[in-house]
Every structure is written in C-alpha cells, then in structure tokens.
Amino acid sequence: MDRHNRLAGHYREMVARKQIFFLTGRRLDRQRWRSGCVRLLAGLCGVVTIPAWAMEAGEILRAVDQAMAAPAQEMALRIVNRLVEQEESPVVMIMAKKGGDRLMAMVVAPEPLKGMTIVRNGAEVWSRAPGKDVEARAEGLAKSFFGAGVFNNEDILHLDFQQEYQPALAREDPTNWYLELTPKAGWVPYARLSLVVDKEFKLPRSVTQYGPGNVLIKTIQYAQMQRFGDGPMRPSLLESANPLNPGYVSTLRYGDVQVRAAPEALFSRAALTKIGGYFLREK
C-alpha cells in the first residue's frame, strides 16, 4: 500500500509539472503571439504612413511629370493675354511632345502667326514662319515668339521639370509638398522655382519663378482639373499675372489632349517644313 501511494504521488507530481510546463508554454506562446501582432501592426502603420511623408524630392518631381503628361501625346493650347478690359487675339497652337525633352508645334491662329512651326529639343529651339526661317536658341526661351504676354517660350514650350531642374524638398504639410528647383543647365531662364505639389493627385498647384538676386518674375497657378479621354485628372488651365505690370493677365488652356506618338523624324530642325502637313493630315 505504501509503495502504491508513493507511485500515485509521484505520478500526480509529474502530471502537475507537465500541466505547469504546458500552461507556462501557452503563456509564452501568447506573449510571442502578442509581440508578433504588435510588430505586424507597427509595420502596417509604417506602410500606410511612410509613402505619404517620406517620398524623396526626385520621386515627387517624377510623379508630377508623369501626372501632367504621357510619354508621347498631342494637345491643343489656347493662350490669351488681357490688360484690364482689353483682350488680345488668342494664340491657338497644336503641339506634340515626346520623351519629356522634345516637342513640336504649329500655330493655327491668329492670322499673322498662322502656319508658324516650332521645334524644341532640350536647349535648342527653332521656329519657321511661312516664307522665311527664324532660328532661336537658349536666349529665346526667356522671350516669346508671340509678342507681348506674361508667358514666355519656356512656359509655353514646357519640357518635363526633371529634364531641367534639380529638386529639393523644402518642407511639407498634410496637403502639399514644397519643392525648390534649381536649374541643371545654363539654358534655363530662371535662377530657381518654388513648386507647390498636391499630395493626393501628385499635381502642381503653383510654381513661382525667380530671377538672379531672388527677383520675383511671376507665379503660375494651376486650376480647373479635367480628365482628357481615358487619362488621369490634370489641370487644364494655367493663369499668371505680371507683377511688373499690374492688371496684365495671361491664361494658357489645354484642350484635346491625346496619347499619340508622332514620328521621330519630325522632332528636328530639318522637319520644320513638314510639321504643318503632319498636324493637318486626315486622322
């Protein structure tokens, strides 16, 4: 009987130890599980917050260029200059862009400019008026082919931002990024740009242009979001006032934006006489 009692007691002790070990192991597993959940939730929170707040300046600028234009597209532009109540005849152009650093265009109105063709490849800009050739290079970017107006050739014949500028992120808030852009090359007519970018759409809200000595040249506002065809929403209107000439306002409106790749051969000075035929072809 004593031997039986000792065996029974030893068995109960072993069972108790196993129960304690099992329960302790379960507690340890629960702790590990809870710790893993905490790490997982922290990781998920990081995934949600990091992209909105940790994009680098170069990534932001590339996103802006991609949102504003397809790699190859055609569009119509309508430029209007007005001083107080007096409005000049609008300039209407058809333009094709390719690769972010090349474009060609033809003016279809007003009558004195009708038929002018233009090609831009990086720093080099050429134009041809019907019956004569006029060449313009880097120094022409700060001027305009179209006479008086707030917009110049750099604004109208706009390349992708990343082609011409090096960005730095100055600051940000929950709604916008604020980029400071400095020229990569000497042909750019501005000393720097201040670009405000909408975080939700990756689109510009405004760009302020400065000359040497931090002299304010102008601010361009982007407005009237619109969807062209199957493309994304993007601003269809650019508006700017001239700080040196109060009351003088210029607007640039985009229309009929289509994804279409023009022939490579047309983006050259030699093709200035052929651009009109391309744009006026039957589509």
Side-chain angles (χ1 to χ4, degrees):
M1 179 66 67
D2 292 340
R3 183 172 178 273
H4 176 77
N5 289 337
R6 285 198 300 273
L7 288 174
H10 181 65
Y11 175 77
R12 285 195 297 270
E13 183 178 356
M14 288 177 61
V15 170
R17 286 178 180 174
K18 286 183 179 180
Q19 287 177 337
I20 291 172
F21 177 79
F22 175 73
L23 292 173
T24 304
R26 283 212 317 185
R27 282 197 294 271
L28 290 173
D29 288 342
R30 284 175 182 171
Q31 289 173 356
R32 293 192 188 100
W33 182 81
R34 288 170 182 165
S35 177
C37 287
V38 169
R39 287 196 299 270
L40 177 61
L41 289 173
L44 290 175
C45 291
V47 169
V48 172
T49 57
I50 286 175
W53 290 92
M55 284 185 70
E56 294 182 353
E59 294 175 314
I60 297 169
L61 202 60
R62 283 192 293 274
V64 170
D65 287 331
Q66 291 169 3
M68 286 294 290
Q73 68 177 29
E74 293 182 16
M75 70 200 90
L77 284 72
R78 188 175 187 270
I79 304 159
V80 175
N81 301 310
R82 62 180 183 273
L83 177 60
V84 192
E85 300 299 327
Q86 182 180 357
E87 184 173 302
E88 300 175 5
S89 298
V91 176
V92 181
M93 305 172 61
I94 308 171
M95 181 182 293
K97 296 185 70 173
K98 198 166 191 178
D101 63 345
R102 290 163 293 162
L103 59 84
M104 63 176 182
M106 183 183 72
V107 180
V108 296
E111 194 64 34
L113 298 173
K114 187 175 181 179
M116 176 184 283
T117 54
I118 303 161
V119 169
R120 180 176 183 186
N121 191 333
E124 299 181 324
V125 181
W126 299 280
S127 69
R128 180 184 183 275
K132 61 178 181 178
D133 293 319
V134 178
E135 184 177 338
R137 292 188 181 274
E139 62 270 21
L141 293 172
K143 303 176 184 177
S144 173
F145 289 125
F146 318 112
V150 178
F151 293 117
N152 58 29
N153 291 335
E154 175 74 2
D155 303 324
I156 298 168
L157 309 176
H158 175 63
L159 306 181
D160 283 1
F161 284 113
Q162 60 186 319
Q163 295 290 336
E164 298 189 287
Y165 296 96
Q166 182 67 41
L169 182 59
R171 62 186 181 92
E172 60 183 308
D173 57 35
T175 304
N176 300 313
W177 286 295
Y178 300 84
L179 299 181
E180 291 296 316
L181 310 183
T182 52
K184 289 181 178 179
W187 73 69
V188 179
Y190 307 119
R192 69 179 178 91
L193 302 181
S194 292
L195 180 65
V196 182
V197 180
D198 181 278
K199 282 188 170 182
E200 180 179 358
F201 295 102
K202 311 297 189 297
L203 289 168
R205 290 178 178 267
S206 68
V207 58
T208 303
Q209 303 163 346
Y210 296 91
N214 209 36
V215 175
L216 172 64
I217 296 176
K218 63 179 177 289
T219 297
I220 298 175
Q221 303 290 341
Y222 294 76
Q224 296 188 9
M225 295 282 286
Q226 183 177 339
R227 190 184 305 279
F228 296 97
D230 296 329
M233 296 289 286
R234 51 157 291 178
S236 63
L237 179 69
L238 278 64
E239 187 172 39
S240 182
N242 188 342
L244 303 178
N245 192 353
Y248 201 106
V249 177
S250 290
T251 59
L252 189 159
R253 185 177 297 277
Y254 292 101
D256 194 27
V257 179
Q258 300 180 44
V259 176
R260 183 181 291 138
E264 191 73 29
L266 292 178
F267 294 88
S268 70
R269 180 187 179 187
L272 282 170
T273 58
K274 303 174 183 177
I275 292 173
Y278 172 78
F279 283 125
L280 297 177
R281 74 196 186 283
E282 291 188 7
K283 301 180 182 179

